[in-house]
Amino acid sequence: MDIGFIGLGAMGSAMAANLVRAGHRVTVWNRSPEKAQALVKAGATLAKTPAEAAQAGLVASMLSDDPAVEGVTHGDTGVLAGLPAGGLHVSMSTISVALAERLAADHAKQGRRYLSAPVFGRPAAAQAAKLFVVAAGDGQDIARAQPLLEAVGQRTFTVGETPSAANVVKLCGNFMILSAIEAMAQSMTLASKAGVEKTVLLEVLTGTVFGAPIYQIYGEILAEERYRPAGFGAPLGLKDMRLVGAAAEQLRTPMPFLGVIRDHLLQALAEEGEDIDWSAVGLAISRNAGK
Amino acid sequence: MDIGFIGLGAMGSAMAANLVRAGHRVTVWNRSPEKAQALVKAGATLAKTPAEAAQAGLVASMLSDDPAVEGVTHGDTGVLAGLPAGGLHVSMSTISVALAERLAADHAKQGRRYLSAPVFGRPAAAQAAKLFVVAAGDGQDIARAQPLLEAVGQRTFTVGETPSAANVVKLCGNFMILSAIEAMAQSMTLASKAGVEKTVLLEVLTGTVFGAPIYQIYGEILAEERYRPAGFGAPLGLKDMRLVGAAAEQLRTPMPFLGVIRDHLLQALAEEGEDIDWSAVGLAISRNAGK
Amino acid sequence: MDIGFIGLGAMGSAMAANLVRAGHRVTVWNRSPEKAQALVKAGATLAKTPAEAAQAGLVASMLSDDPAVEGVTHGDTGVLAGLPAGGLHVSMSTISVALAERLAADHAKQGRRYLSAPVFGRPAAAQAAKLFVVAAGDGQDIARAQPLLEAVGQRTFTVGETPSAANVVKLCGNFMILSAIEAMAQSMTLASKAGVEKTVLLEVLTGTVFGAPIYQIYGEILAEERYRPAGFGAPLGLKDMRLVGAAAEQLRTPMPFLGVIRDHLLQALAEEGEDIDWSAVGLAISRNAGK
Amino acid sequence: MDIGFIGLGAMGSAMAANLVRAGHRVTVWNRSPEKAQALVKAGATLAKTPAEAAQAGLVASMLSDDPAVEGVTHGDTGVLAGLPAGGLHVSMSTISVALAERLAADHAKQGRRYLSAPVFGRPAAAQAAKLFVVAAGDGQDIARAQPLLEAVGQRTFTVGETPSAANVVKLCGNFMILSAIEAMAQSMTLASKAGVEKTVLLEVLTGTVFGAPIYQIYGEILAEERYRPAGFGAPLGLKDMRLVGAAAEQLRTPMPFLGVIRDHLLQALAEEGEDIDWSAVGLAISRNAGK
C-alpha cells in the first residue's frame, strides 16, 4: 500500500519504520530531512514537501503540536495541496479539539477525507508496534486506514464519527494519567511522613484494586524519584493540559483536578527547569510537604 | 482458637461468620444484640459486654468510626477491662491516625497488645473472605493474629511496626479510590459533552493503561449513574476524607486533591441527601457541567 | 457592674484591663495565675476557679480553642457550676460552630444564659478597646452584655438570635482575610515575575477598588516578606480553617478556596516551622513559583 | 491635540466622547461605523480605516480581545500602516501579555512607539471619565499620552517601562476582583446555611476590615442574586482568566485560585447561558450547596 508519513520525531520515525517493515511503500517527510536517513536506508522514499508525501493518497501525520500540524497541512506545499481528490489524511498527533474540528472542515471543503487517530504509548511502545490507537471519523475512512493503524499499534479503538472525538479521548487519557500520578504522589508523601515506605504503599495499591500498568510504572518512578531523563517532558505534559483546558472551556465543563495538575507542572518547571519529566508533579508535591 | 469479635455491621457480621466457619470458637458482641442471632445459630457465643468478648485473649473490633471504637475500648465494660494481661486487640475499623496512636499507647500502658489491621473490600468481599488486610504493629502480634486475618481475607500486607501506619495506608487507599472516581467522572463528563459515550471512554481506559478493578467497577457505576442504593455511603466517604485531612494536618502535608473531593461529596449530600453512594461525586461533576 | 473574666492571654488580658479601666468590678481567672498580677494591681480580683469568677453573674471567656473553653465551662469548678441561676456567659473565643451550639444547649438546660460574641482585631486593637464584636443570641442578653462589649470594642454587630451564628461570621471573616492574602500573594508573584514590583501592584490595588485596611496591612507584609515574628500564628490560622471546614462539613457547603488555603498553611508550617505568621501562605505561593 | 480612537464599544465610545469633550480633535474608527454617529455629531471625524485614524500620530485602541487588536494593528489598513514615523499607539484593551510583547516589538521594528494602558472601570465610570489607567512603557511616551489618559480617567498609575507590565497588572486586578467575589460568595453561602442573612454578613465585612468598594458593589449583587443583565459578561471574565492562565503558564507561576474561578465561570455558563454576569460564580457556589 502507498502511504505518506509526515513527522519523524521519536514517535513518528518508529511508526514509519513499522510501516516499512510491514511491507508498505512509504514516502516520508520531515522538517529536518537528516532524520529520514535510517528510514530511507530501510526502503522509504524521502519527499521534499508534505504535499509530495500526501500524493500517496493516504498520508499520516505525527507532529508535536497544533502549529506544526497546521504548518504541514496548509499552504502551497502542504498536505491539502498534495492529497488527491478523495485522499485521506490520518492525523495521529495530540492536538486540540478545536484544530481537529477545523482540519475536518478544511478537508471536507476541498473534497478530501480526514481522520483523527492519536495514539497512547511512549517511544518504546511505538518501536514495538504496541501503540494503542484511538480513531474517530467516517467508518469507511477508518477501514481504509486499518492497514496503517495495524502496522503501528496493537489495538485500535473507534470512539465516534466526529474526528475530534478521538482527540478528546486522547486528552482525557493524558489527564487521567497525570491524575493517577498526582493521587499516588499525594498519598506516598502522606504515608512516608507517617513512616510508611513509598514502595510498601505501592505494593498494597497494586496488590489490591490498583493493579494497572499506570500505577506500576509511575509508582516506581515516584518511589525512586527518577524524574530525569524525561520520558515525556513536563513542557509537553503542560501543553496537553492546556489543550484539556481549552476543550473544557469550549465545552463549558469544569474539571477541578486540572488546576491542581497544571500548578504542579508549573512549579516543577519553575524549580527544576524545562528538561524534567511530567511525573515531576510528584516532586512538587513532596517538596511542599517539606520532604 | 478463642477469638472475640466486636461490631456486627454489614462488614463485621460477615467477618465473624468466616471466623466461625474456619473453626474458631468465637464470642461476639454488638450494641444491638439482635444482630448476633444468625451468628449464634451458627455456633458463636454472645457476650454481654465488650469486656466479656475480650476475655478470649484475642479480640478483633470492626466498627464504623472513632467514637464507636473508643466507646468499646474504654470504661468498665470495655475491651481494656476484659482483655487478660498480654492479650491482643486487633483493631480493624477505619479510624483516625491519632486514635490509633492513642489506642496503641493506652494498651501498652496497661500491658496489653494492640494491632491496627484495617481492611479493603465491600460487604460482598467480606462474605467471600476476600478482604485485603493491611496490618501494622509488632511482628509477633501480627503472627499471633494470622489465623484470624487469614480467615477473613485473601491477603495480608504488613506495612510497618507502628500500628497507626496501617491506618494511614487504609486512608490513602480510600483517598485514591475517590481520586480515581473523580478523574474518571471529570473525563467522562468532558468526553460526553464532546459526543463520546461514557462506556466508550471507559473501554479505552480499561483496555489500555487503566486496566484495574477500581476503574472497571466505578466506571460502570458512573456510566449508568447508579448512585443508589449506596454500596458505601457518601457520609462514610466524607468521614474517611475528614480523617485523611486530619492526618494531613497532623503530618503537615498538603493534599490538593482532597479539597476537590470533599467539596463534591458535600455537594452530592447537599443536593441528594444522606443516602447516596460516595461515587456520587460523579453526579456533582456532571451537574456542574450542566448535564 | 460585676463582671467575671476568664482567659488572660494577649487578647484577654488587654480586654480585662479595659473593663477595669471602664470602672467595672472585675474578677479574673487564668490557668497560670501569674498572668493576672498586673490586672490585680490595677484593681481586679483574682478568682481561684472559673466558677468563682462566674459568681459575678456576668462572665466573659476569651480562650484559645475549643478544649480550653470546654475545660473552663464544665466540671465542679467550671463556669456552669459558679454562674447563679439566670447568669450570663459571654463566650468571646473563636470556637467551633458545633461547640457554640453545645454550650448554648448546656446553659439552657441548667437555666443559665449564653451568648457568642467573638471579636475581630489583633492584640493592639484589644489594648486600644478598638475590637469589633460580633454578637448573636437573645436580644435581652445582648443588651445586658452591652456595657461589657462597649468597654472592649469600638462597635458591636448583632448577627442573629442563635449564638452560633456569631461564630460562623467570625470564622467567615478569618476565611476571607486569608482569601484576600492568597489572592494578593498569587497576583504579586505573577506580577513580580513579569517585572512589576510588589509595592507597585499594591499601590494600584489600594488606589483603585481594593482600598480596604486588610489589603494595606497584609500587602505590606507580603511585599516585605515579613513573616516573623508572627502577629497571628499559622497554627492558629490553621485551627480556624479547620473550624471553617468543620462548619462547612456540618452545613454541607463546598468551599473550594478552603483547600487551597489549608494546603498553603501546611506547606508554610512544613517548611518553616510553627512560629511563622499565618500570612506565610504568601511564602508558599512565591516559593512554588521558584522565587 | 489630534487623537485617533479605535473601537467604539460601550467603553470606547464613552472614552472617545470624553476626548471630544476635553477639546481634542478626535478621529474615530469602528468596524460597524454606525456606532460612530453620536460621536460625529459631537464633533469627531469618522475614519474609513484604522490606518486613517492612526494618521493623527497619537492613536488609542480599545477593543474586546486579542484578535480584534491584532486585526486593527496589522495589514494594509491597520494602525501600523497609518501611524507616521515616531507615532504612538496607546493600547488600552485588556489583552494577553504575549500579544502586548509582540505589539511592542512590532512597533519598535518599524520605528513606531507603543504603550500599554489598560483601564479599570465599568462603562458608567468610562462615561464619567473616572477610569483608572494602568500605564507601562517609555517615560516620554507616557508623558506624551498624558492629555489623552487624563481626559478618560481619574488617575494614571505607571507600573514599569515594559509595556506588557501594565497588562499583567490589569489581569491581576480582574483576577483579584473575581477572587474577592468568590471568597464573599463562599462565606455568604456558609453563613446563610447557618441562618445569617447575606446582607448581615456583608455589613460586618464592610464595617470592619473589608471596607473597599469592591466588596460593597459585589456584595450587594450577591445578596440580591442580581446576575442579569450582565454588567461584565461571564464570557469576557472567562476570556480574562484565560489570559491570566496564559501569563501564569508563560511565567511558570502556579495560581491555585485560578482553577476554582474558571470552573465556577464554566459552571455558570453551562447552567445559565452566555448572557450571565461574571459575578455569577456566586450562583454556582450557592447551587453547589443546595441553595
Side-chain angles (χ1 to χ4, degrees), chain C residues 2-247:
Chain C
D2 288 304
I3 301 178
F5 199 97
I6 291 167
L8 302 176
M11 294 294 291
S13 56
M15 292 158 76
N18 281 322
L19 290 175
V20 172
R21 206 164 293 139
H24 297 296
R25 286 175 303 277
V26 184
T27 305
V28 298
W29 181 85
N30 195 59
R31 205 175 39 173
S32 331
E34 56 280 13
K35 286 211 180 157
Q37 285 179 354
L39 280 161
V40 169
K41 244 183 232 166
T45 305
L46 181 62
K48 290 208 197 66
T49 62
E52 204 181 308
Q55 284 164 5
L58 172 63
V59 62
S61 58
M62 184 67 191
L63 298 145
S64 62
D65 57 18
D66 278 29
V69 175
E70 285 211 278
V72 303
T73 303
H74 294 103
D76 292 348
T77 60
V79 165
L80 274 170
L83 203 58
L88 173 61
H89 181 183
V90 183
S91 169
M92 308 187 79
S93 317
T94 298
I95 56 171
S96 70
V97 174
L99 177 56
E101 290 171 348
R102 236 167 30 239
L103 290 175
D106 291 346
H107 283 70
K109 219 181 302 168
Q110 305 195 21
R112 270 70 184 165
R113 315 293 309 167
Y114 175 84
L115 276 188
S116 277
V119 299
F120 283 103
R122 294 193 165 207
Q127 284 159 26
K130 292 283 188 197
L131 296 171
F132 291 104
V133 181
V134 178
D138 182 272
Q140 292 193 313
D141 292 335
I142 294 178
R144 186 169 159 194
Q146 206 53 47
L148 188 168
L149 305 181
E150 271 168 18
V152 303
Q154 63 174 292
R155 184 169 168 191
T156 299
F157 297 89
T158 302
V159 299
E161 300 195 349
T162 308
S164 62
N167 301 92
V168 172
V169 169
K170 165 67 186 171
L171 293 172
C172 284
N174 279 6
F175 166 76
M176 287 200 62
I177 292 171
L178 277 169
S179 293
I181 298 172
E182 280 272 346
M184 217 172 0
Q186 293 178 34
S187 297
M188 280 181 172
T189 301
L190 183 69
S192 78
K193 288 193 88 169
V196 179
E197 296 279 341
K198 291 176 177 182
T199 49
V200 167
L201 178 63
L202 180 57
E203 198 198 334
V204 174
L205 293 172
T206 54
T208 56
V209 289
F210 291 94
I214 204 70
Y215 291 97
Q216 196 61 53
I217 294 166
Y218 283 105
E220 284 168 17
I221 289 174
L222 292 172
E224 299 167 12
E225 305 186 22
R226 190 163 26 89
Y227 301 122
R228 279 195 184 90
F232 187 69
L236 285 172
L238 184 62
K239 186 261 295 177
D240 287 358
M241 292 309 102
R242 180 171 59 238
L243 300 186
V244 173

Side-chain angles (χ1 to χ4, degrees), chain A residues 138-163:
Chain A
D138 183 272
Q140 293 194 313
D141 293 335
I142 294 177
R144 187 170 160 195
Q146 207 51 47
L148 186 169
L149 304 181
E150 271 168 19
V152 302
Q154 63 174 293
R155 183 168 168 193
T156 299
F157 297 88
T158 302
V159 300
E161 302 195 348
T162 308

Side-chain angles (χ1 to χ4, degrees), chain B residues 253-265:
Chain B
T253 305
M255 296 188 81
F257 273 10
L258 185 59
V260 175
I261 293 169
R262 291 171 94 156
D263 282 339
H264 285 156
L265 284 168

Side-chain angles (χ1 to χ4, degrees), chain B residues 235 238-239 242 245 248-249 252-257 259 262-263 266-267 269-270 274, chain C residues 235 238-239 242 245 248-249 252-257 259 262-263 266-267 269-270 274:
Chain B
L238 184 61
K239 186 261 296 176
R242 181 171 57 238
E249 200 172 310
R252 304 289 187 237
T253 305
M255 296 188 81
F257 273 10
R262 291 171 94 156
D263 282 339
L266 289 174
Q267 180 178 349
L269 288 162
E274 303 290 313
Chain C
L238 184 62
K239 186 261 295 177
R242 180 171 59 238
E249 200 173 309
R252 303 291 187 237
T253 304
M255 295 188 81
F257 273 10
R262 290 171 94 155
D263 282 339
L266 289 173
Q267 180 178 349
L269 287 162
E274 303 290 312

